[in-house]
Amino acid sequence: MTTSAPLRLSTPDLLRELEPTAAANLNRHLSLAKEWMPHDYVPWSRGRDFDPSTGGTPYEPGQSTLSPVAQIAFEVNLLTEDNLPSYHREIAEQFGRDGAWGTWVHRWTAEEGRHALVMRDYLLTTRGVDPVALERGRMQQTETGYAADGKTALQVLAYVSFQELATRISHRNTGRYTEDPVAERLLARVAADENLHMVFYRDLCSAALALTPSQTVIAIAGEVIGFAMPGTGITDFGRKATQIAKAGIYDLRIHHDEVVTPLLRHWGFWDLTDLDAEAEQARTQVRDYLTGLDALARTYEDKRAAALASA
Ligand SMILES: [Fe+2]
Ligand SMILES: [Fe+2]
């Protein structure tokens, strides 16, 4: 008996095969993405000079109308967006600069650039966070950079599908948490962009699953199990992420129920047949991982409920 080697496409072959789908999704994106102006979302009348030598008022923490946790969530979301130069490099290296892939890379980068601009303008105008800490955080984050650590184009497609959805939810929930209608409107606008980005990557993954199912299942499985938010390199990220989770802005329950589960369902991940042995094994690992994640999320929910009950 002979066993044939599992079908695996090289990255150039995969990108070439997916090019028509990338073009179709790019066109759909361009037809759906509405132009918006960041200056329309910033409350400029709330702004003042900072420099006392020109009659300004230096920043003091009490000037912020945001709660401490809202400040942390907003700052983490912004510093994540600030690392755009590294993200651009990563997807440009993976997807290339030619054809529909290249057009997407540049369009996506232009849209993402708007996010950091509008969020920083809001925070500086409203004195929402310490501007010195914010700038030092940006320098640290950008100098650290972000690397996809040898991911293939297929793995990047899977990762960014989860990451764009996670970012959409994080922005949306941070906006609500600020209890400032101006910030909520601004972050809802940014979240709408992230949603369209997610749809692009999600549908490219669907096409990859149809093209090379076992290879794509293995890529998706790796990104589910190894997922880390892109802001991981931010100073003190662990402590900040814990506070964001405790506030219910982004926690394991949200990650399990609103990010991983719906995307896997959309892809028909559990319904695929005729996978090779390696892909079947990867799918089993995802099932086990999600069972553990669900249990851990429940533990944190119980802790939070107990803390609220005793407060
Ligand atoms: Fe963004
Ligand atoms: Fe995005």
Side-chain angles (χ1 to χ4, degrees), residues 190-202:
V190 172
D193 279 6
E194 311 296 19
N195 190 54
L196 283 183
H197 298 161
M198 180 274 291
V199 168
F200 178 93
Y201 294 125
R202 181 196 68 190

Side-chain angles (χ1 to χ4, degrees), residues 81 112 115 164 167 171 190 194 197:
E81 298 279 353
E112 291 290 358
H115 298 169
E164 293 280 6
T167 309
H171 283 317
V190 172
E194 311 296 19
H197 298 161

Side-chain angles (χ1 to χ4, degrees), residues 134-268:
L134 187 65
E135 178 59 8
R136 287 178 180 158
R138 189 191 67 79
M139 287 294 290
Q140 182 270 331
Q141 172 75 342
T142 310
E143 285 181 76
T144 302
Y146 173 85
D149 290 334
K151 286 190 206 301
T152 63
L154 194 52
Q155 289 167 326
V156 169
L157 280 176
Y159 174 75
V160 289
S161 299
F162 294 116
Q163 177 268 319
E164 293 280 6
L165 182 51
T167 309
R168 175 191 109 188
I169 292 170
S170 181
H171 283 317
R172 192 78 184 88
N173 288 349
T174 298
R176 290 198 186 102
Y177 198 83
T178 61
E179 297 185 339
D180 177 353
V182 176
E184 186 169 357
R185 175 173 172 264
L186 183 159
L187 289 172
R189 181 55 260 185
V190 172
D193 279 6
E194 311 296 19
N195 190 54
L196 283 183
H197 298 161
M198 180 274 291
V199 168
F200 178 93
Y201 294 125
R202 181 196 68 190
D203 288 3
L204 264 296
C205 276
S206 292
L209 278 166
L211 181 69
T212 176
S214 291
Q215 187 178 4
T216 307
V217 161
I218 292 163
I220 290 172
E223 298 313 308
V224 170
I225 292 168
F227 185 84
M229 290 292 263
T232 307
I234 293 170
T235 303
D236 224 4
F237 181 76
R239 187 182 61 80
K240 290 173 178 172
T242 301
Q243 289 180 274
I244 289 167
K246 278 185 178 169
I249 294 170
Y250 197 90
D251 59 13
L252 293 183
R253 175 55 59 210
I254 291 170
H255 188 66
H256 178 279
D257 289 5
E258 299 179 37
V259 175
V260 179
T261 300
L263 274 174
L264 293 180
R265 193 185 304 125
H266 182 91
W267 287 324

